[in-house]
Each structure stands twice: as structure tokens, then as C-alpha cells.
Amino acid sequence: MVRLLRSTLKDPKKIIRALEFAPSFLMGKAYLFIFGIDPLKVHNFGRIHIRKYDNSVIVIKSGILLREVEIATRGNGKIIIGENFHCEPYVRLNVFEDGILKIGDNCGIGSFSIINATKKITIGNNVLISSHVHIIDGDHGIRKRELIRNQKMVSKPIEIGDDVWIGTGVKILKGVKIGKGAVIGAGSVVTRDIPPYSIAVGIPARVIKER
């Protein structure tokens, strides 16, 4: 950190960039502090958005949040994130009503990924989630003779084990369990359980081999 500061002070262009960056950096730190997240353990690079409504809870033990990350909880929802979390730009983490999102230690989420928890989504330790991934544990009801928008959500928990790698553009739908050490290929749609240490690809995702 000291070395970075010294090199910045020696370069006028770096000084200008630092001054441009400062307001969003400080605003992000204020967000963390206001919502009870330790700004000395969770580092933001650029502006972030934290929205905590009603009786909801947000816990992030330590990590890095890059610019334009949005974390939102409502109702009695809970977001619990472990140590050494790394979150790329434009990620959205949303928990609704009584939903729970639990993410273990040493996990990373790529840019533009979205996780929506209405029931419960559990992500283990050392999980790699690539960019443009959607993990959603609920669907709209689709009964006839009733507007879809007026029907209750149908939700089932999602569980992702330790040491899982989820490729770019993967969609993981409600009620799915992905076993420890599994790999989900880019662009796949996961609608059924994936066994531990399996490699699955396709729409819907099917196991093609074991690691």
C-alpha cells in the first residue's frame, strides 16, 4: 500500500485518476460503515450500493467489492458472506422476504452475475462463479386463468458445494444441488442435481464425465 501511494504521488496522471476515484471510494466506505460492515476488512474499489430494508441482515467478514456492486435485502432476509470474498463489477446479490443467501470463505463472483434468493441459496467454500451467471431459487406460478404477475413465487433451496467452478453464462434454477468439486460448463442451464466431481454441460445440463 505504501509503495502504491509513493508511485501515485510521483505520477501526475495517477494523481488525477486518484482524485477522480476518491468520491466514489469514500461513498462506498460510508455505505459499509452505515450498514455495520467493517470498512477495514471489506475493501471497495469505486462506488457500491448496499440496500438493507426492514429487519434484514447483511454480514461480510472480509473481502473486496469492485465498482457498482449492489447488495440488497428485504423483510427478514439474510446475506451472510465469509472471509476473503471477491466480487467483480456490476454483480447483484438480492434476498427477498425471509430468504437466506450464505456464501462461504474464499469465493469469487464474476462481473454482471445475479443471485436472487427467495428461499435459501447456500454456496460453499472456494467456489468460483464466472461472469453473467444467474442463480435463482424461485419461479412465478403459471396456473391458467390467473395473471402470472399476480401468482405467488414457487421457491426451492439451491445448494452449491465446496470447490465448484461455474462457467460463464450458466443459469442455476430452483431446487438444485451441485456436489463438491463439480464443474458446470459455460452457457449451461442447471435444472437437476449434479453429482460431486462431475463435469456437466448443456441445456439442460447433463454430466459428460467425471474429474
Side-chain angles (χ1 to χ4, degrees), residues 100-168:
I100 300 173
L101 170 60
K102 296 182 71 175
I103 300 176
D105 297 336
N106 307 312
C107 292
I109 302 179
S111 302
F112 296 98
S113 290
I114 297 172
I115 301 178
N116 288 346
T118 305
K119 187 88 169 179
K120 186 175 184 180
I121 296 176
T122 304
I123 298 172
N125 300 319
N126 303 298
V127 173
L128 298 177
I129 299 174
S130 302
S131 63
H132 297 274
V133 170
H134 289 187
I135 304 174
I136 301 173
D137 71 353
D139 289 328
H140 290 282
I142 54 171
R143 293 186 301 277
K144 289 183 178 180
R145 301 182 183 86
E146 185 177 350
L147 290 174
I148 291 174
R149 62 177 295 177
N150 292 337
Q151 296 186 43
K152 290 184 178 181
M153 294 289 291
V154 179
S155 302
K156 294 181 181 178
I158 292 173
E159 183 178 339
I160 299 172
D162 297 342
D163 189 32
V164 168
W165 176 22
I166 299 170
T168 300

Side-chain angles (χ1 to χ4, degrees), residues 44-60:
N44 63 293
F45 290 85
R47 183 173 57 181
I48 59 174
H49 307 274
I50 297 177
R51 312 190 196 285
K52 181 173 171 288
Y53 302 102
D54 309 313
N55 298 314
S56 60
V57 173
I58 299 175
V59 175
I60 306 174

Side-chain angles (χ1 to χ4, degrees), residues 134 136 158-160 166 169-178 183-185 187-194 200-206:
H134 289 187
I136 301 173
I158 292 173
E159 183 178 339
I160 299 172
I166 299 170
V170 168
K171 308 295 184 284
I172 299 174
L173 305 184
K174 70 178 188 298
V176 163
K177 182 176 182 179
I178 299 177
V183 176
I184 311 299
S188 300
V189 178
V190 183
T191 60
R192 65 187 74 182
D193 292 353
I194 304 297
V201 300
I203 303 175
R206 300 179 186 277

Side-chain angles (χ1 to χ4, degrees), residues 3 32 37-38 40 43-44 72 81 85-86 125 134-135 142:
R3 186 180 300 174
L32 294 171
I37 300 168
D38 189 342
L40 298 179
H43 305 288
N44 63 293
I81 300 175
F85 178 59
H86 185 92
N125 300 319
H134 289 187
I135 304 174
I142 54 171

Side-chain angles (χ1 to χ4, degrees), residues 81-94:
I81 300 175
E83 304 280 357
N84 196 30
F85 178 59
H86 185 92
C87 199
E88 292 287 327
Y90 299 100
V91 167
R92 300 288 182 263
L93 306 178
N94 300 305

